[in-house]
Amino acid sequence: MPYGIISALDQGSGESGGFVVWIGVAGAIVLVLLIALTLKTRTGNSNSNSNSNSNRNSNRNSNGNSNGNGNGNGNGNGNGMHQLQRKRAFTANNVETKRFTTTRFQEGYEMTQVDDLLAKAAAELRRLEDENTSLQRQPAASGRGAVPAATPILTAEAVVKQKFNPTRIRAGYAQDEVDDFLDELVLALRTWTSENEELRARSVDGGASSR
């Protein structure tokens, strides 16, 4: 083969190899930049998620307290009746049938954790409803004593303190929807519990005075 052709082939082979090397170097640089960006984003998200969870829990607590105080101070007036109607409207069935919007590629709440909390909430509301029915049926002056208080499955305070792991790439529940629903749940738990305690105290006082 003539020398000129061999030289041209060698030169082409060298240029092709150099091009492959440059492609590999560029790919490595892009990969390093992507990893650095991902780590920075995760760090920022972790801090924002911590602050976000803290703010959401604070709001959930303040909403529950303001509603609970309104209920306690409003017994016997229009506000008390309004709160009672809200409680009656929020039962275990509301929790069992609740559906949240599913998020993906944006911040949401871990679905399993939310589902576990709602399962406990439904069970606790069902217990409070049954307890309320028993207390309502028992005459105040029956002398049999009040229906004993059972250990709660879930308290309003536990809901206030509940935190969920955030999701971004995998599916999660829309955070605003979950938070708004938990505000209602906190109010319902406090209202049911408060009324049952009042009914139990009334039954005890009635039984004592009849003796």
Side-chain angles (χ1 to χ4, degrees), residues 35-51:
I35 292 174
L37 181 60
T38 301
L39 291 175
K40 182 178 179 181
T41 302
R42 286 183 177 178
T43 302
N45 287 339
S46 176
N47 293 332
S48 65
N49 288 335
S50 177
N51 293 332

Side-chain angles (χ1 to χ4, degrees), residues 10-195:
D10 289 343
Q11 183 177 359
S13 176
E15 290 176 354
S16 176
F19 180 71
V20 171
V21 170
W22 277 111
I23 290 238
V25 171
I29 292 173
V30 170
L31 182 60
V32 169
L33 290 175
L34 286 174
I35 292 174
L37 181 60
T38 301
L39 291 175
K40 182 178 179 181
T41 302
R42 286 183 177 178
T43 302
N45 287 339
S46 176
N47 293 332
S48 65
N49 288 335
S50 177
N51 293 332
S52 175
N53 271 327
S54 177
N55 291 335
R56 292 176 195 277
N57 291 341
S58 177
N59 290 337
R60 197 181 302 158
N61 190 30
S62 62
N63 288 338
N65 281 332
S66 62
N67 289 328
N69 291 336
N71 179 55
N73 295 330
N75 287 333
N77 59 29
N79 289 335
M81 289 302 298
H82 177 64
Q83 293 293 342
L84 185 59
Q85 289 171 359
R86 289 188 63 182
K87 181 209 69 173
R88 295 299 187 196
F90 196 101
T91 64
N93 185 61
N94 293 89
V95 178
E96 292 168 344
T97 58
K98 181 62 180 177
R99 298 293 180 269
F100 299 110
T101 301
T102 302
T103 63
R104 193 180 290 274
F105 300 114
Q106 60 179 321
E107 227 173 63
Y109 281 147
E110 179 66 47
M111 298 169 70
T112 303
Q113 294 177 344
V114 175
D115 290 340
D116 288 344
L117 180 69
L118 294 189
K120 293 179 182 177
E124 174 60 10
L125 284 171
R126 189 79 65 193
R127 183 193 71 78
L128 288 169
E129 292 166 32
D130 292 341
E131 182 180 72
N132 187 274
T133 300
S134 297
L135 289 166
Q136 293 277 7
R137 288 176 178 171
Q138 179 174 309
S142 64
R144 293 180 298 172
V147 175
T151 303
I153 301 169
L154 180 70
T155 63
E157 287 65 33
V159 177
V160 170
K161 295 177 182 178
Q162 178 67 48
K163 293 183 179 181
F164 305 109
N165 292 334
T167 61
R168 179 171 292 275
I169 297 178
R170 65 183 185 279
Y173 287 141
Q175 293 184 350
D176 289 341
E177 292 183 18
V178 174
D179 289 330
D180 289 343
F181 189 74
L182 293 186
D183 285 342
E184 296 184 60
L185 175 60
V186 168
L187 172 60
L189 288 171
R190 284 176 173 162
T191 309
W192 278 107
T193 301
S194 177
E195 183 181 336

